[in-house]
Amino acid sequence: MQRLFQALIVMMVVALVSFSLFQFVGDPVNNMLGPEGTIEQREKLREKLGLNDPVPVQFVRYVANAARGDFGLSYRIGKPVDELLAERLPATVELVLVSAVIALALGVPMGVYTGLRRNAWLSRVFLTVSLVGISLPTFVIGILMILVFGVWLGWLPTFGRGGVTDIGGWQTSLLTLKGWSHIIMPAITLALFQLTLIMRLVRAEMLEVLRTDYIKFARARGLRSRSINFGHALKNTLVPVITIMGLQIGSLLAFSIITETVFSWPGMGLLFLQAIQFVDIPVMSSYLVLMALFFVLINLTVDLLYYAVDPRLRVERAGSVAH
Amino acid sequence: MAARPELAPLSVSFVAHAADRLRRFFDGDLFYSFRRSPVTVAAFAVTVLLFAVAALAPWVAPHNTYDVATLNLMDARLPPYGFTDQFGTPGDPRFMLGTDDQGRDILSAIMFGLQISLGVGFASVILAALFGTLLGLVSGYVGGRIDSVIMRVADVQLTFPAILIALLIDGVIGGILPRAMHEELKVYVLILAIAASQWVNFARTVRGSTLVEKSKEYVQAAKVIGVHPARIMLRHVLPNVMGPVLVIATLSLAIAVLTEATLSFLGVGVPVTRPSLGTLIRIGQQYLFSGEWWMTIFPSVALVIVVLSVNLLGDWLRDALNPKLR
Amino acid sequence: MTGDTPRRRVLEVEHLKVEFPTRRGNLVAVDDVSFHINEGEVLGVVGESGAGKSLTGAAIIGLLEPPGRVAGGEIRLAGRRIDDLPYERMRRVRGREIGMVFQDPLTSLNPLYTIGRQLVETLQTHGSFSEQAARRRAIELLGEVGIPSPRQRVDQFPHQFSGGMRQRVVIALALCANPRLIIADEPTTALDVSIQAQIITLLKRLCREHDAAVMLITHDMGVIAETADRVAVMYAGRLAEIGAVDDVIRRAKHPYTHGLMGSIPLIGDDTERLTQIEGAMPRLTEIPAGCAFNPRCPKAFERCRVERPELIPADGTAVACWLFDRSPSPGAAADG
């Protein structure tokens, strides 16, 4: 319950920030009409946009509109912002999903392996790779991949999504081989950083867990290594990791901006970037609000997950703790 | 210091304290494990070298890439020395790593770029460290509502990835400033933005350590005697907290440099007139398809080396200072 | 000591040496320690923190953490050597033949599994139980250790139990495969004083019922006085004195033991000051030559500083002190 309240506060704060953007940054009338508008035209526009009303009223109107998904028109393009976002949403979401799957499917096993077999040479290889992985910025990885697979080897396309298929309004590129050939490089680029993070995290957790008393006691009871490693240790390792996973999705969303830039991937990130450069406030603020919503939702989900998985967090029924 | 006479001897004892610790450092386990690990020594050497180059760039660089008068378009887009590009044009020994589209020497551009990248990164970390440590100390020591508020803010901020925060602050403030002031202030805004994305790490760690120290007897004793809280925090708690702070600072430096490079790559970082490594990479990317790979690859390599060395150093530092692993 | 044929000895430890290679050189944490435990007997192992008691226990059950290792000596369980067994063989000994109880019951139990699951798992590892049979046995065990309403509690999680209850669960887990030896490493230190007595009584009763020998490691002399049949006193990784509990406590021979006993306040005692032993137990890197206790010993003489004493039989107990050496020797004579 407390979390929900906190989430609401965050959303309010973000809404406030977004709104202030509108108020203080640039002049919407100017942006829309350009320098040629006459004074009458400006006044009319001001009335129409409701810019002459007192600030609190404008704020309420803003929030009400936002709740309906109406963010106004983009300064740069002129189309309604929610349409723009809807267009771009599938591209980003698919990219992020594919990357997340790659990062998890590879990162967790690698982490477990390096945690269990600390001295195997493969572990050392993984660790060195992870160190490099953390030091390679996403865009450098992207550029390198473009160079090797796109320019030199010519195996994979280097920009765009390839063809898209429309499923009930959602434009997916995952149903064609061509689509996959377009998404694979950006997805790997995006996943790499997360993969190394996940691997290191899982490894660190695993090592911590293996040092605990209950593992020692399990060994003292003569339990088989397999039960200890995969039954006890793994389960305890994954609990905190699950929550981090949720935050990682958030991270992926943020880093997708970079990946979209490198590969000219037509997603929301690119839109946001262009908005910043152009100071296209409606797009900026709506992206902000959307992102905030995502993050808040993700955090709530993670909290719920944690609660579901760790029995210690469940509320005690009266009288169950006895001496 | 004049208004608080009891704090004056603070500085003297702090320096003496630090000098003694330095002496003990070289005798201690830390330095031993340092010497023992060739990778770490190499990382340290490289980091020092890079910082030196960055600081001395104007004197060390073979060409001054800022001086437009020295640029010659005939020298543009040359491959690195020892290579030939697809047209058969050979590299020029004057430009060891090749030139960009304006005839600027890539090697020199990298050196100046290093200066910007490291400069911004370093400044951000210092700012974040100061701000974060202070907040952490206060939060941990004073506790109560101040603590709750600060930690709430930190928690909320942590739900967003650092890069998004930096992007936001940079973008928003950049949007607010009138165009004229843009260029000069851009760098400061950038430093502020990156610092804002990093302070939380410092604050949390310092708060944790402060809480631990707070319950120790020497702090209780000082409180009972009536020593001023500021003095307790600075003289007693702070030195004990420096270890973790140093680790975070190193790792934070790597992140800061990466963040700056990313923002510059995206076009919202440093102004183009003073390109950092990220800017160079961005400009170079356009020429990737025409086969002029050196424009973007060499700055990328430089960036990776910087971040890698700092990360290695930070890793070693963290393992060396971790009491559990000794 | 007469009348004990080797067959009745559950545990025999001979000249056990545990060392830690560090960059500063080899640290010897347990130095030439020998003792035995008979069937059904409780041997208390006392000493200050760092004296090597826990490490001895760990070495016996084969859970020394690297880089620590057994560098010498033999450990025999019911006549069979166990110190040189490969991992898998030793694993089967653990739990089945040697059970161990640790200090902190909260951290000894996996917080994510119900205690029923943890019991069933242990039972099925060491015996061929079906799921239901194991569950029934688990509930029985919980009843044996005194957990009320075991049928409901078997499906609860560790955090739903109080400290004392948790330690009972831990004891149940250690005993469920009917081992012949239980090593209890500070089993009551983390518990409230009022609960300590209950747990100790429980342990003693269960071990008697299951016919198990007990190695009770603790620094609490009160517990030893209540529970142990024999006691071994350790100092700086070495045995100082070993013998029947009454002998060692009431008629302490080694000056260290003497000091230990004198430092325990007794209700009804008239003495005004508790005995204090000057100084502190040396760190592993600074163990003095000769007898480890000599710098602090009020009765030390020349020989103590030079030669390390072996365990010398004296009147029913064995003492590592030159004061009790009857044989003629070079060097100054003992006083007192």
Side-chain angles (χ1 to χ4, degrees), chain C residues 34-51:
Chain C
S34 307
F35 59 88
H36 66 272
I37 310 184
N38 301 314
E39 237 173 62
E41 186 179 51
V42 176
L43 174 75
V45 179
V46 291
E48 298 170 50
S49 305

Side-chain angles (χ1 to χ4, degrees), chain C residues 3-336:
Chain C
D4 288 327
T5 48
R7 195 169 30 96
R8 285 188 60 217
R9 292 184 179 187
V10 171
L11 178 72
E12 288 165 288
V13 174
E14 265 171 42
H15 304 296
L16 180 65
K17 188 166 174 179
V18 172
E19 44 179 45
F20 283 83
T22 66
R23 63 179 180 84
R24 280 182 267 235
N26 253 347
L27 292 182
V28 182
V30 175
D31 197 348
D32 196 4
V33 165
S34 307
F35 59 88
H36 66 272
I37 310 184
N38 301 314
E39 237 173 62
E41 186 179 51
V42 176
L43 174 75
V45 179
V46 291
E48 298 170 50
S49 305
K53 328 184 286 290
S54 299
L55 284 172
T56 310
I60 294 175
I61 199 172
L63 283 183
L64 271 181
E65 305 236 345
R69 63 201 174 118
V70 172
E74 274 186 27
I75 305 176
R76 287 193 293 276
L77 188 67
R80 247 173 61 230
R81 263 194 87 167
I82 58 172
D83 57 288
D84 57 357
L85 287 182
Y87 184 84
E88 185 57 24
R89 301 275 297 275
M90 192 63 204
R91 176 189 77 73
R92 272 177 269 172
V93 168
R94 284 198 281 269
R96 183 94 184 62
E97 299 185 49
I98 307 182
M100 191 152 180
V101 173
F102 293 102
Q103 177 175 328
D104 189 348
L106 177 57
T107 55
S108 293
L109 296 170
N110 191 332
L112 298 182
Y113 287 140
T114 63
I115 55 161
R117 163 89 196 264
Q118 301 191 48
L119 275 165
V120 164
E121 186 184 29
T122 316
L123 285 167
Q124 287 185 314
T125 306
H126 292 292
S128 48
F129 286 87
S130 70
E131 191 68 35
Q132 294 104 313
R135 193 182 153 83
R136 260 179 280 134
R137 180 82 189 113
I139 297 180
E140 263 174 41
L141 278 166
L142 285 181
E144 263 183 63
V145 296
I147 308 263
S149 348
R151 221 164 281 268
Q152 283 83 3
R153 300 221 109 190
V154 78
D155 289 320
Q156 288 185 335
F157 292 92
H159 67 279
Q160 291 170 286
F161 290 71
S162 69
M165 289 281 137
R166 278 196 282 261
Q167 196 64 310
R168 290 175 193 262
V169 170
V170 166
I171 293 177
L173 275 165
L175 280 171
C176 65
N178 283 322
R180 7 169 162 232
L181 170 69
I182 296 277
I183 304 179
D185 192 348
E186 311 270 8
T188 53
T189 313
L191 303 171
D192 285 340
V193 174
S194 51
I195 310 282
Q196 282 181 12
Q198 293 177 22
I199 299 295
I200 286 295
T201 323
L202 174 73
L203 197 59
K204 196 160 184 189
R205 173 173 65 84
L206 285 177
C207 290
R208 197 141 287 155
E209 283 173 17
H210 287 248
D211 237 342
V214 180
M215 179 177 161
L216 181 57
I217 302 174
T218 179
H219 59 266
D220 186 339
M221 290 307 284
V223 164
I224 294 294
E226 283 281 315
T227 333
D229 300 312
R230 284 162 58 232
V231 79
V233 180
M234 282 187 75
Y235 183 80
R238 304 162 182 192
L239 267 185
E241 187 166 353
I242 178 169
V245 65
D246 263 355
D247 285 338
V248 175
I249 291 190
R250 277 184 236 281
R251 291 174 283 277
K253 301 201 178 63
H254 195 289
Y256 175 62
T257 322
H258 195 71
L260 270 187
M261 300 306 147
S263 63
I264 301 170
L266 294 168
I267 299 180
D269 213 2
D270 272 338
T271 45
E272 286 181 1
R273 300 191 85 200
L274 297 175
T275 322
Q276 248 184 328
I277 315 180
E278 289 272 325
M281 193 172 72
R283 298 166 61 166
L284 287 180
T285 42
E286 297 158 0
I287 298 187
C291 168
F293 188 60
N294 82 68
R296 305 166 72 189
C297 182
K299 305 217 174 112
F301 51 93
E302 202 42 52
R303 192 173 183 198
C304 306
R305 291 182 256 277
V306 173
E307 249 187 282
R308 181 187 155 173
E310 301 159 353
L311 277 176
I312 303 171
D315 237 359
T317 60
V319 200
C321 180
W322 291 130
L323 286 172
F324 298 90
D325 186 16
R326 302 280 164 69
S327 53
S329 63
D335 18 283

Side-chain angles (χ1 to χ4, degrees), chain A residues 3-318:
Chain A
R3 291 294 190 172
L4 219 78
F5 190 60
Q6 196 174 8
L8 232 71
I9 296 196
V10 172
M11 288 308 294
M12 274 295 125
V13 168
V14 173
L16 203 63
V17 169
S18 297
F19 177 66
S20 354
L21 276 180
F22 266 105
Q23 285 296 309
F24 300 116
V25 184
D27 184 3
V29 173
N30 229 353
N31 277 316
M32 291 173 115
L33 287 179
E36 314 90 32
T38 65
I39 300 198
E40 288 128 30
Q41 283 177 313
R42 286 174 191 277
E43 267 314 304
K44 268 174 77 179
L45 198 51
R46 288 202 98 83
E47 267 306 315
K48 180 159 169 255
L49 291 178
L51 290 175
N52 289 333
D53 295 334
V55 177
V57 174
Q58 291 196 47
F59 184 57
V60 171
R61 193 185 310 138
Y62 178 73
V63 174
N65 281 341
R68 275 184 305 142
D70 175 10
F71 285 100
L73 301 172
S74 154
Y75 291 167
R76 186 169 61 98
I77 301 183
K79 283 165 77 173
V81 174
D82 44 356
E83 255 181 52
L84 280 172
L85 284 177
E87 251 172 37
R88 311 280 222 157
L89 189 70
T92 303
V93 167
E94 283 182 2
L95 181 62
V96 166
L97 269 171
V98 174
S99 302
V101 166
I102 295 180
L104 276 175
L106 289 180
V108 171
M110 279 167 80
V112 170
Y113 182 80
T114 52
L116 287 179
R117 304 243 177 284
R118 295 181 66 182
N119 297 316
W121 68 268
L122 195 60
S123 286
R124 284 190 221 266
V125 168
F126 282 159
L127 283 177
T128 324
V129 167
S130 86
L131 196 58
V132 176
I134 280 205
S135 314
L136 275 178
T138 316
F139 59 92
V140 169
I141 299 177
I143 290 180
L144 277 174
M145 292 200 82
I146 291 183
L147 188 63
V148 173
F149 293 104
V151 179
W152 283 347
L153 291 176
W155 287 352
L156 293 169
T158 57
F159 59 89
R161 278 179 93 185
V164 288
T165 1
D166 201 313
I167 306 186
W170 183 276
Q171 307 207 302
T172 175
S173 65
L174 294 180
L175 292 180
T176 59
L177 202 58
K178 185 148 179 267
W180 274 101
S181 73
H182 277 263
I183 204 175
I184 195 73
M185 278 208 295
I188 294 186
T189 305
L190 189 56
L192 220 58
F193 194 73
Q194 309 306 316
L195 190 147
T196 50
L197 268 167
I198 291 179
M199 188 188 99
R200 292 185 124 205
L201 182 72
V202 169
R203 175 176 183 268
E205 267 306 309
M206 194 86 187
L207 289 178
E208 268 296 314
V209 164
L210 285 173
R211 271 203 286 256
T212 55
D213 277 349
Y214 56 83
I215 294 291
K216 204 161 50 144
F217 189 40
R219 277 199 246 261
R221 287 177 354 243
L223 296 182
R224 290 191 193 83
S225 295
R226 203 166 18 109
S227 316
I228 298 183
N229 288 336
F230 293 101
H232 290 263
L234 190 62
K235 183 158 181 196
N236 287 68
T237 306
L238 287 182
V239 167
V241 167
I242 283 180
T243 67
I244 306 287
M245 230 62 100
L247 298 176
Q248 291 293 67
I249 303 246
S251 205
L252 280 173
L253 271 171
F255 279 91
S256 69
I257 301 180
I258 307 171
T259 316
E260 290 180 11
T261 312
V262 173
F263 290 93
S264 302
W265 186 263
M268 293 192 303
L270 203 52
L271 190 68
F272 182 53
L273 211 58
Q274 289 160 337
I276 288 193
Q277 282 167 324
F278 193 82
V279 195
D280 186 349
I281 305 289
V283 174
M284 273 171 73
S285 67
S286 54
Y287 185 82
L288 252 179
V289 170
L290 199 62
M291 281 293 121
L293 190 66
F294 268 143
F295 284 112
V296 160
L297 280 176
I298 290 175
N299 276 329
L300 269 178
T301 320
V302 161
D303 278 339
L304 284 174
L305 258 175
Y306 215 159
Y307 186 79
V309 168
D310 188 341
R312 287 171 287 188
L313 296 177
R314 296 182 204 151
V315 177
E316 294 291 339
R317 283 179 237 302

